[in-house]
Amino acid sequence: MIYLDYAATTPVDPRVLESMQPFFREQFGNPSSIHRYGQAAEGALSTARETVASLLKCQPDEIIFTSCGSESDNLALRGAALARRSETGTEKILLSRVEHPAVVKTAIQLERMFGFKLGWLEVDELGMITPRAVSNAIGDDVALVSVMYANNEIGTINPIHEIGLLCREKGVVFHTDAVQAAAYLPLNVDELSVDLMSLGAHKFYGPKGVGALFVRKNTGLIPSITGGGQEFGLRSGTQNVPYIIGFAHALSLATDERSDRIRYVIPLRDQIIGTVLETINDVRLTGHKQERLPNHASFVFKGVDGNLLLALLDSAGFACSSGSACKTGNPEPSEVMEALKLERDWGLGSLRVTLGMDTQAGQVKQFLDSLPSLVEKARRLKTGKP
Ligand SMILES: *Cc1c(COP(=O)(O)O)cnc(C)c1O
């Protein structure tokens, strides 16, 4: 089996796993305890927080550890929206339809259950949210803007710095979901001009079930999890020390090795994009050609059921992903494909191929040799022709 779905999740780096081990049994203390067990855990937790802060170029007390990227997005959106409304009376949230469901569904809940207003930012045909789209929509009634750093389905990288400057000019809080971007893109929060930034470890060779939220000093945030007051009162609950250690180590390795990792995956990605567009009919690249994640290739095939193609790929030994939501019997193109305004017979046939540190050139070749006939088979099965 060949794994080509690193945007969904990555295996834990053995070096990361090793650094986590002592914190399950030997140093198992609760960081809030006064005794030495607690102090040891608190020391390790502080070091991890300092490591993450130094990588993001912020202060340690601006890092909140959470249980995942989704929780970070939830805390950012709900927390900042509620705080801004009580501080300023503003209650409009700007976001786009291509955001991750952890952002979109939280915003929709804020609208339906808490009376906030949503403003949907336009997305261009490459899936990008431009500074112009934000400046056209931003007004005095806006509490919060949320724009993802890089899109998980189509790999497009957004101009976060420019959007951040626009928000700052208007005094509007700016959140970016950097969960997919963190493996490959720079994370300096000042250069990005963000107030809130979500991260999740399992997208950069850390463990699943641990995330972080950068919260710029003086950004109001109402906690979703209240209790013992851990994480500066913004996220109660005894910290998951071993996983936080893993998070910090994985992010540190990702930063140190970033340029090597980029140099490794780009030629493989470009080979996939070039060959697929050359060898298969009625195919389009989705997302941006240049401004895209270095490990990310995504396509739509006309007249193909994306889920069927994934099943055929799986039987042939390739683990890939599709953008289309998996609704049996009544497949619908994903929100992202809808936002790109793709016609239905294209939007249903999406395929995402994402690479990682363990991807071998020979595996890419095998994939490229197999794909054309599998696409053809999927087309035949869809039309019912023999
Ligand atoms: C994976 C992902 C998430 C969710 O992260 P989890 O840690 O799986 O909850 C959020 N946003 C983006 C862009 C992602 O790729």
Side-chain angles (χ1 to χ4, degrees):
M1 198 70 201
I2 294 174
Y3 188 75
L4 297 168
D5 199 12
Y6 286 81
T9 195
T10 58
V12 177
D13 186 314
R15 296 169 290 179
V16 171
L17 186 59
E18 198 188 342
S19 67
M20 294 166 63
Q21 293 292 355
F23 297 92
F24 288 101
R25 289 197 55 80
E26 292 106 73
Q27 299 191 51
F28 66 90
N30 184 328
S32 299
S33 299
I34 299 289
H35 49 63
R36 274 169 233 191
Y37 291 91
Q39 286 170 22
E42 169 56 27
L45 178 61
S46 294
T47 305
R49 200 186 303 282
E50 281 159 20
T51 301
V52 174
S54 73
L55 299 170
L56 270 50
K57 302 284 186 283
C58 67
Q59 297 302 313
D61 62 359
E62 295 176 309
I63 300 295
I64 308 301
F65 289 114
T66 66
S67 70
C68 59
S70 298
E71 190 196 324
S72 297
D73 284 340
N74 271 255
L75 176 58
L77 271 267
R78 199 174 290 110
L82 292 170
R84 290 281 292 168
R85 182 161 69 182
S86 70
E87 287 164 8
T88 65
T90 52
E91 51 183 18
K92 189 163 182 184
I93 302 165
L94 298 184
L95 75 164
S96 77
R97 305 259 182 207
V98 304
E99 292 296 317
H100 190 272
V103 168
V104 173
K105 297 216 169 146
T106 305
I108 289 173
Q109 189 199 57
L110 285 164
E111 180 187 42
R112 296 209 179 132
M113 309 299 291
F114 296 86
F116 285 87
K117 311 256 181 314
L118 303 187
W120 294 101
L121 294 167
E122 269 174 58
V123 172
D124 72 13
E125 69 279 11
L126 305 175
M128 190 178 275
I129 294 110
T130 61
R132 175 178 286 271
V134 178
S135 72
N136 286 344
I138 205 166
D140 294 337
D141 54 343
V142 174
L144 171 71
V145 174
S146 185
V147 174
M148 70 205 313
Y149 194 171
N151 186 279
N152 46 301
E153 274 186 47
I154 55 173
T156 297
I157 301 168
N158 286 309
I160 294 304
H161 170 68
E162 288 81 355
I163 295 171
L165 289 182
L166 272 169
C167 292
R168 188 163 298 169
E169 227 170 77
K170 292 276 179 186
V172 170
V173 170
F174 180 42
H175 167 250
T176 193
D177 173 341
V179 180
Q180 196 59 239
Y184 292 102
L185 303 182
L187 297 174
N188 181 323
V189 291
D190 288 329
E191 280 170 14
L192 290 170
S193 15
V194 295
D195 301 309
L196 299 160
M197 181 167 77
S198 304
L199 299 169
H202 76 98
K203 305 284 172 74
F204 50 81
Y205 306 94
K208 293 161 189 63
V210 62
L213 180 66
F214 159 73
V215 183
R216 187 176 293 284
K217 210 153 282 173
N218 300 322
T219 306
L221 205 64
I222 307 290
S224 319
I225 304 184
T226 47
Q230 291 90 343
E231 299 300 301
F232 314 103
L234 294 177
R235 201 277 185 183
S236 286
T238 302
Q239 289 92 347
N240 189 346
V241 178
Y243 281 59
I244 290 171
I245 303 298
F247 179 106
H249 194 197
L251 191 61
S252 170
L253 292 168
T255 310
D256 291 347
E257 298 175 5
R258 180 172 295 137
S259 50
D260 292 340
R261 293 182 187 182
I262 291 174
R263 230 174 300 138
Y264 182 70
V265 290
I266 279 190
L268 297 174
R269 177 202 66 180
D270 289 347
Q271 187 192 353
I272 291 176
I273 293 176
T275 308
V276 167
L277 297 182
E278 218 169 80
T279 57
I280 300 177
N281 293 330
D282 283 331
V283 58
R284 293 183 201 162
L285 182 73
T286 51
H288 208 285
K289 266 203 193 76
Q290 287 86 34
E291 296 299 313
R292 73 182 298 130
L293 288 169
N295 70 327
H296 196 296
S298 57
F299 307 94
V300 281
F301 300 96
K302 189 180 180 195
V304 166
D305 175 337
N307 290 327
L308 174 62
L309 178 59
L310 288 185
L312 294 174
L313 279 163
D314 183 69
S315 318
F318 304 100
C320 302
S321 169
S322 126
S324 49
C326 184
K327 288 178 204 146
T328 29
N330 178 29
E332 288 297 328
S334 76
E335 296 285 343
V336 176
M337 296 304 131
E338 300 265 11
L340 300 182
K341 301 197 171 75
L342 284 169
E343 305 87 316
R344 204 186 147 76
D345 57 343
W346 284 89
L348 284 172
S350 60
L351 176 70
R352 178 182 76 183
V353 186
T354 47
L355 312 173
M357 274 152 49
D358 299 319
T359 309
Q360 301 299 320
Q363 298 179 322
V364 169
K365 184 175 182 308
Q366 279 185 55
F367 171 74
L368 290 171
D369 289 344
S370 308
L371 186 66
S373 63
L374 295 174
V375 169
E376 209 170 292
K377 189 168 178 189
R379 281 187 175 136
R380 275 201 314 272
L381 287 169
K382 180 144 190 229
T383 53
K385 281 182 202 141

